[in-house]
Amino acid sequence: HRPARRLLRAADRVEAAPPREAATFADAVLRRVLEVIDRRRPIAQLRTMLTPPLLDTVFALTHSAATDKAAVLRRVRLRATAAEPAAAEVFTTYTRGHRVRAIAGRVEIKEGRWRLVALQVG
C-alpha cells in the first residue's frame, strides 16, 4: 500500500499578502517608468526609486520605444516572496493604443526604502 497523498486545494494554499506599502510603491514606480519611457517625465525622477542598472535600462528604453501613443498602466498585482518578507514580485499589464503588454519586476526594501530591483518590460 502506498500512503494516501493529500491533494492541496486552492483554499489550502494560503499565501501571505505583500505589504501594502509595496503595492503602493509598485503602482507609483511603474506609472513613472512608463511616463519616462514615453518621455512625459524626466528620468531623474526615478533616481531614488530604481537601482542604477535599472536606470540605465529605462534610459535605453526611452530611445528605442516607439511612443506615438501614451502607455496606460492597468492592473498591478503583487506576490509576496516566501524567503524575504521585505520583497515582492510585481506583475502588471499596460496598454499602448490597442495593444496589451506586460511588465514584471521585483521590489525590495533597500537602504530603508522600497526600490525597484528587477524589471522586464514586454
Side-chain angles (χ1 to χ4, degrees):
H1 279 144
R2 291 189 321 178
R5 291 186 194 186
R6 183 170 179 238
L7 298 176
L8 290 178
R9 296 176 303 165
D12 293 335
R13 288 180 266 140
V14 177
E15 292 184 14
R20 176 167 282 171
E21 299 84 21
T24 302
F25 172 78
D27 184 81
V29 72
L30 292 175
R31 286 182 193 283
R32 287 186 179 113
V33 163
L34 289 175
E35 290 171 358
V36 167
I37 291 170
D38 287 350
R39 298 183 193 115
R40 294 181 283 152
R41 181 182 291 267
I43 197 163
Q45 292 185 9
L46 292 175
R47 190 154 300 168
T48 61
M49 302 174 96
L50 274 66
T51 60
L54 287 185
L55 280 171
D56 294 339
T57 299
V58 172
F59 184 73
L61 289 171
T62 64
H63 296 318
S64 64
T67 57
D68 55 330
K69 297 189 188 248
V72 178
L73 192 66
R74 297 295 176 194
R75 188 173 184 179
V76 177
R77 309 269 324 249
L78 272 79
R79 183 172 68 191
T81 58
E84 298 176 57
E89 295 173 347
V90 181
F91 314 92
T92 187
T93 55
Y94 69 98
T95 56
R96 186 180 302 281
H98 295 294
R99 299 200 61 174
V100 178
R101 299 193 173 250
I103 298 175
R106 180 180 170 94
V107 294
E108 294 179 359
I109 293 182
K110 295 278 189 186
E111 300 169 359
R113 65 172 37 168
W114 286 100
R115 296 184 82 180
L116 187 66
V117 298
L119 179 68
Q120 179 69 42
V121 179

